[in-house]
Amino acid sequence: GAVVSQHPSWVICKSGTSVKIECRSLDFQATTMFWYRQFPKQSLMLMATSNEGSKATYEQGVEKDKFLINHASLTLSTLTVTSAHPEDSSFYICSARSSGHAHYNEQFFGPGTRLTVL
Amino acid sequence: DAKTTQPPSMDCAEGRAANLPCNHSTISGNEYVYWYRQIHSQGPQYIIHGLKNNETNEMASLIITEDRKSSTLILPHATLRDTAVYYCIVRVAFMDTGRRALTFGSGTRLQVQP
């Protein structure tokens, strides 16, 4: 199957700093990428949908100025958490969609990035 | 997407079959049943999907009732590595949804016991 990577796998930062998380599709072109957030013992919550070359679409309640998403190429999307605070500590998971695979499994998930804000 | 209902948790003995139920009584005719799982601190992993016929692959079997209002995911010989949260998702085929993301419910936390 298709492979999606994330970097870093974990990061610890101080409150007020910004953190960038990269999501790459390694062996396919991702026309659309999705960013999810998952708090402990909770399910995945969609944050935003990112289409290559255009602005991301954010879910209700997600601050677009705080969570900056860039999808500049068909294999890379980045999520920048600006002015991070402890409440932003979470598990961030990206997912990529390819139009080139069988219809049943067109959304592939990365391994996740654990962010801890001190 | 049709609403799904899953038990919050289940236990299974290692080597035995794990049967995970899912109710989806409001499923529409063009909606598929998808199963994903999430092992602790990892991204979700696709398992299997089906429309109305039973399906089997190298990971699991999916049994869908004739009225399609419920289904069961079967892991035939559960191992400790199968301990995870299992999500049942009902939605139209990916090719028909444009750019809409998968949405996840609470899932079933399966604990495989040694």
Side-chain angles (χ1 to χ4, degrees), chain B residues 1-5 23-28 31-32 88-92 100 103:
Chain B
D1 299 343
K3 178 178 166 54
T4 61
T5 304
N23 285 322
H24 31 80
S25 59
T26 60
I27 190 170
S28 299
E31 288 184 313
Y32 288 72
C88 170
I89 301 170
V90 171
R91 58 174 283 160
V92 296
R100 192 159 58 85
T103 55

Side-chain angles (χ1 to χ4, degrees), chain A residues 16-52:
Chain A
T17 61
S18 294
V19 175
K20 180 185 283 188
I21 302 170
E22 292 186 349
C23 175
R24 294 181 185 273
S25 55
L26 298 186
D27 51 1
F28 67 99
Q29 293 186 328
T31 51
T32 305
M33 287 185 169
F34 308 99
W35 287 94
Y36 293 81
R37 180 168 55 182
Q38 185 175 33
F39 293 108
K41 297 192 184 300
Q42 294 186 24
S43 189
L44 287 79
M45 295 299 296
L46 181 67
M47 298 176 67
T49 299
S50 166
N51 297 306
E52 186 266 336

Side-chain angles (χ1 to χ4, degrees), chain B residues 10-19 75 77-80 83 110-114:
Chain B
M10 292 182 64
D11 284 347
C12 175
E14 189 177 19
R16 296 295 187 102
N19 298 293
L75 307 180
H77 305 286
T79 70
L80 298 179
T83 292
L110 175 68
Q111 180 69 50
V112 180
Q113 306 284 358

